[in-house]
């Protein structure tokens, strides 16, 4: 039988910290190429190198039926008009789905079907669960003014494939327009920035 420490984790829904579990930290410098506005990115990097998010992951056994989960905490802010975001990834085992549950703050998930490129912006808030199907690139975006915390639960075999996103980024971006989050084609945003 598992020990109680293996069965139970205690997390803080506001900070996203899990007692006794180290968190991976991602700073602005780790997200080079993710934001459309390169000039705003370089200016923000020169002004500091803020922490964008932390993820504490509980990844015990890795058998075929096992589950892993992580608690993320994504800071509020923007680079140009684009809200702070996670790197985003596909699962290495493409069939692997995931469930996100909002804990605190206000954000969205950007979902992109790998084969069609079809994109959806789905709200991520406390008391809401977002189902991320397999074969779907997913990125978390903080559209609010306080840290966004959430739990993500995924098959132990899911794995992270960051390479595809690093090569081509997501097709769409989520920007603030008149005080609201709006999903637009990244190519359109780049045209606007160039004009
Ligand atoms: C893992 C799950 C999350 C993310 C976390 C950070 O499958 O989707 O725990 O790892 O939201 O995002 P990223 O894109 O940097 O891994
Ligand atoms: Zn995932």
């Amino acid at each position: 039988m598992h020990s109680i420490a293996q069965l139970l984790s205690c997390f803080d829904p506001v900070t996203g910290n899990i007692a006794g579990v180290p968190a991976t930290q991602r700073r602005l410098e780790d997200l080079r190429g993710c934001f459309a506005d390169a000039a705003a990115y370089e200016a923000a990097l020169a002004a500091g190198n803020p922490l964008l998010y932390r993820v504490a992951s509980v990844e015990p056994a890795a058998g075929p039926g096992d589950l892993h989960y992580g608690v993320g905490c994504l800071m509020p802010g923007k680079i140009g008009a684009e809200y702070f975001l996670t790197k985003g990834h596909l699962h290495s085992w493409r069939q692997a789905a995931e469930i996100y549950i909002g804990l605190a703050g206000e954000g969205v998930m950007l979902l992109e079907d790998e084969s069609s490129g079809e994109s959806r912006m789905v709200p991520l808030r406390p008391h809401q669960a977002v189902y991320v199907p397999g074969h779907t690139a997913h990125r978390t975006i903080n559209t609010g003014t306080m840290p966004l915390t959430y739990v993500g639960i995924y098959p132990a075999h899911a794995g992270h494939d960051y390479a595809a996103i690093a090569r081509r980024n997501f097709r769409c971006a989520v920007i603030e327009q008149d005080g609201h989050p709006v999903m637009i084609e990244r190519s359109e945003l780049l045209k606007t920035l160039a004009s």
Side-chain angles (χ1 to χ4, degrees), residues 24 26 31 53-57 59 69-73 85-91 97-98 100 109 132 138-140 150-155 158-160 162 170:
T24 298
R26 301 278 188 215
L31 278 91
Y53 61 100
R54 292 187 300 266
V55 190
S57 304
E59 301 187 328
Y69 63 95
V71 177
C73 179
L85 43 74
T86 59
K87 288 175 109 163
H89 59 271
L90 284 149
H91 291 145
E98 181 163 359
Y100 274 73
M109 299 284 305
V132 179
H138 44 290
R139 166 174 276 170
T140 311
Y150 55 90
V151 185
I153 307 162
Y154 46 96
H160 294 83
Y162 292 104
F170 281 69

